[in-house]
Amino acid sequence: MNKKKPYFVYILRCCDKTFYTGITTGLKRRIKEHNTGKGAKYTAIRAPVKCIYWETSKNRSTATIREREIKRYPRTKKWKLVRSRWKIRKKKLKI
């Protein structure tokens, strides 16, 4: 059985308090990459970063669409999204 890995759409909070939104199939790995300067150029100069939100998508296409949607949100709407799930997510992924 060939089980596909889910895609994660995630929001990071950078050390300068800005947000970065991205997608990946390995959330813990990707956070580590961002924090060691091997992630996006944006986060390389804003490390350390902290994952404050994530959700799963069934494939890359839906993850990319959702990532674009979140990136278009104003900061206040992103915070509302983060707060809506933070307590639940914090317990599930020990990061």
Side-chain angles (χ1 to χ4, degrees):
M1 187 165 115
N2 187 9
K3 189 174 179 180
K4 291 185 178 184
K5 291 182 178 182
Y7 275 84
F8 294 92
V9 179
Y10 61 92
I11 300 175
L12 303 177
R13 186 170 188 224
C14 302
C15 68
D16 64 357
K17 298 183 173 54
T18 59
F19 292 142
Y20 175 84
T21 305
I23 65 168
T24 187
T25 55
L27 188 57
K28 287 183 181 183
R29 171 191 49 81
R30 190 65 176 145
I31 294 166
K32 189 178 218 180
E33 289 172 353
H34 284 294
N35 278 318
T36 57
K38 297 176 183 170
K41 288 180 185 179
Y42 185 86
T43 59
I45 60 171
R46 291 171 174 85
V49 300
K50 183 176 182 179
C51 185
I52 59 171
Y53 175 84
W54 76 92
E55 61 188 54
T56 57
S57 292
K58 60 183 176 180
N59 57 47
R60 184 181 179 112
S61 178
T62 58
T64 302
I65 290 167
R66 180 67 172 145
E67 176 192 25
R68 275 190 237 128
E69 181 182 11
I70 292 172
K71 283 183 175 185
R72 290 184 186 124
Y73 285 176
R75 185 175 177 85
T76 53
K77 191 169 181 178
K78 288 178 188 176
W79 265 123
K80 188 175 181 179
L81 180 65
V82 169
R83 286 192 308 266
S84 72
R85 295 194 185 175
W86 177 243
K87 290 179 183 176
I88 297 166
R89 296 292 189 190
K90 188 176 180 183
K91 292 177 184 176
K92 287 186 179 180
L93 182 68
K94 305 276 191 243
I95 50 175

